[in-house]
């Protein structure tokens, strides 16, 4: 009696059930790296406090940003007006928090819009190649040549009646090109990977491949870039509003408040330094958070920075020691 040996079954490719635990494992590792970074945790905590201050702080006082106290013109901080009043008797605390709220909204919406636009254009240009890549790259390079600040300064006065949402659109239109070029380069390398080739052979639609396979693999870069872009958008809004090209009266933002209080910065410092101080704290917190996210999602960045720091301090490199 003969027995026939059954050949061992070929190992099956890991499916979604195996990929999900791996993704959760990477997420836990990134979270641990982020929690170990003091600057990143500090930046995240400060940003959370700023958002709470901007959206919950106005409910702690009975003054609105439009109320005027004619008996307290340029009054120093007191029990009635916690951060003083401006030249026409408006409460600085209410004004600054409303301006912070508007600047945060503009920064978040601008960064989100620019990141979505950059990811789609860059991924399509890098994946399809050919004439699609040439046309999109030419359009990106063309927008990079235009002086964004000058164009927004010319266009925004003609759109004053349209509200601040149109201003967000202007900032986003001129804030996505560099990110798109990076996403394009990353996509050109990803389209040669095995999982993309397998999806193409299975007849998956190109747009589905971009959304399901390309963009998730560049998401770490997009998250870090979007975080830092929030700070850049707030700075752009502040600069344009300072010169009168951004948020228009009677609405206020940090830029308009800094512009209004700059002349009285030495004589009535509360009219200037509260708004300017919150802007500086916000930008620093965003930079700390962005650096922490980059180190957590891309561990090689932190290793390179540690090695450079060790060389500056005169300590031997770990790899050289081995």
């Amino acid at each position: 009696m003969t027995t026939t040996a059954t050949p061992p079954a070929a190992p099956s490719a890991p499916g979604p059930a195996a990929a999900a635990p791996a993704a959760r494992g990477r997420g836990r590792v990134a979270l641990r790296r982020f929690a170990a970074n003091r600057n990143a945790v500090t930046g995240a905590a400060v940003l959370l406090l700023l958002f709470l201050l901007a959206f919950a702080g106005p409910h702690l006082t009975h003054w609105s940003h439009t109320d005027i106290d004619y008996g307290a013109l340029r009054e120093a901080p007191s029990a009635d007006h916690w951060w003083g009043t401006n030249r026409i008797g408006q409460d600085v605390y209410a004004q600054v928090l409303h301006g912070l709220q508007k600047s945060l909204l503009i920064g978040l919406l601008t960064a989100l819009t620019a990141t979505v636009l950059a990811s789609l254009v860059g991924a399509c240009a890098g994946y399809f190649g050919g004439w699609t890549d040439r046309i999109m790259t030419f359009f990106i390079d063309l927008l990079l040549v235009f002086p964004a600040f000058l164009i927004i300064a010319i266009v925004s006065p003609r759109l004053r009646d349209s509200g601040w949402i149109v201003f967000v659109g202007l900032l986003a239109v001129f804030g996505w090109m560099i990110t798109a070029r990076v996403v394009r380069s990353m996509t050109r390398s990803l389209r040669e990977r095995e999982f993309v080739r397998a999806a193409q052979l299975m007849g998956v639609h190109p747009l589905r491949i971009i959304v399901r396979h390309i963009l998730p693999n560049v998401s770490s870069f997009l998250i870090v870039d979007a975080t830092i872009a929030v700070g850049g958008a707030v700075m752009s809004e502040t600069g344009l509003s300072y010169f009168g090209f951004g948020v228009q009266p009677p609405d206020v933002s940090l830029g308009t408040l800094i512009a209004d209080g700059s002349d009285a910065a030495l004589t009535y410092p509360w009219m200037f330094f509260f708004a300017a101080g919150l802007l500086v704290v916000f930008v620093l917190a965003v930079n700390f958070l962005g650096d922490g996210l980059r180190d957590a999602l891309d561990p090689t960045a932190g290793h390179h920075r540690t090695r450079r720091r060790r060389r500056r301090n005169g300590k031997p490199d770990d790899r050289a020691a081995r």
Side-chain angles (χ1 to χ4, degrees):
M1 179 178 180
T2 59
T3 58
T4 303
T6 304
S12 59
R24 288 196 294 268
R26 289 193 297 268
R28 286 194 292 267
V29 172
L31 184 60
R32 283 198 298 268
R33 291 197 197 105
F34 182 83
N37 191 324
R38 294 182 180 178
N39 288 338
V41 174
T42 302
V46 170
L47 285 177
L48 179 60
L49 290 176
L50 287 176
F51 273 91
L52 289 175
L53 180 65
F55 292 95
H59 299 288
L60 302 178
T61 179
H62 63 279
W63 295 103
S64 172
H65 73 283
T66 57
D67 293 340
I68 299 177
D69 186 358
Y70 294 101
L73 304 181
R74 293 178 176 175
E75 184 181 277
S78 62
D80 193 23
H81 298 282
W82 298 343
W83 290 359
T85 60
N86 61 11
R87 58 173 55 89
I88 64 173
Q90 292 175 315
D91 187 75
V92 173
Y93 173 82
Q95 285 255 305
V96 169
L97 294 194
H98 185 79
L100 176 63
Q101 185 181 124
K102 184 56 59 69
S103 294
L104 291 178
L105 288 175
I106 291 175
L108 286 173
L109 290 177
T110 300
L112 179 62
T113 304
T115 301
V116 171
L117 184 60
S119 61
L120 292 177
V121 174
C124 289
Y127 180 80
F128 292 108
W131 283 105
T132 303
D133 185 21
R134 295 189 186 95
I135 293 174
M136 290 185 173
T137 303
F138 174 78
F139 182 67
I140 291 172
D141 294 338
L142 185 64
L143 286 179
L144 285 172
V145 172
F146 289 152
F149 190 94
L150 181 60
I151 293 177
I152 295 176
I154 294 173
V155 173
S156 60
R158 294 170 170 79
L159 301 174
R160 289 183 175 180
D161 297 334
S162 301
W164 60 273
I165 294 294
V166 176
F167 181 59
V168 169
L170 287 175
L171 289 176
V173 163
F174 293 99
W176 60 274
M177 292 82 71
I178 300 297
T179 304
R181 290 185 67 89
V182 177
V183 173
R184 169 183 172 271
S185 299
M186 298 174 71
T187 303
R188 287 170 65 89
S189 63
L190 285 171
R191 71 180 182 182
E192 305 300 330
R193 301 284 292 273
E194 290 79 1
F195 59 89
V196 175
R197 291 294 189 185
Q200 292 172 345
L201 293 175
M202 293 172 61
V204 180
H205 194 276
L207 293 180
R208 187 176 179 86
I209 294 177
I210 291 174
V211 174
R212 294 289 300 273
H213 300 288
I214 300 295
L215 292 181
N217 281 278
V218 299
S219 59
S220 58
F221 165 76
L222 293 175
I223 291 172
V224 175
D225 183 79
T227 303
I228 299 177
V230 174
V234 171
M235 290 297 294
S236 299
E237 179 275 324
T238 301
L240 288 165
S241 297
Y242 182 89
F243 292 106
F245 302 121
V247 176
Q248 301 297 322
D251 206 354
V252 294
S253 69
L254 291 181
T256 61
L257 293 174
I258 292 173
D260 291 341
S262 58
D263 294 338
L266 298 179
T267 53
Y268 305 100
W270 59 87
M271 294 173 53
F272 173 81
F273 285 104
F274 282 113
L278 286 179
L279 176 63
V280 171
V281 170
F282 173 76
V283 174
L284 288 176
V286 168
N287 288 334
F288 284 156
L289 179 61
D291 289 342
L293 286 174
R294 183 183 60 236
D295 293 345
L297 298 173
D298 183 13
T300 58
H303 294 165
H304 294 328
R305 190 178 299 110
T306 301
R307 289 167 51 198
R308 289 196 298 268
R309 190 182 302 116
R310 290 177 66 88
R311 287 196 294 266
R312 286 198 302 267
N313 295 336
K315 298 179 180 180
D317 194 348
D318 292 338
R319 294 196 305 178
R322 291 194 294 267

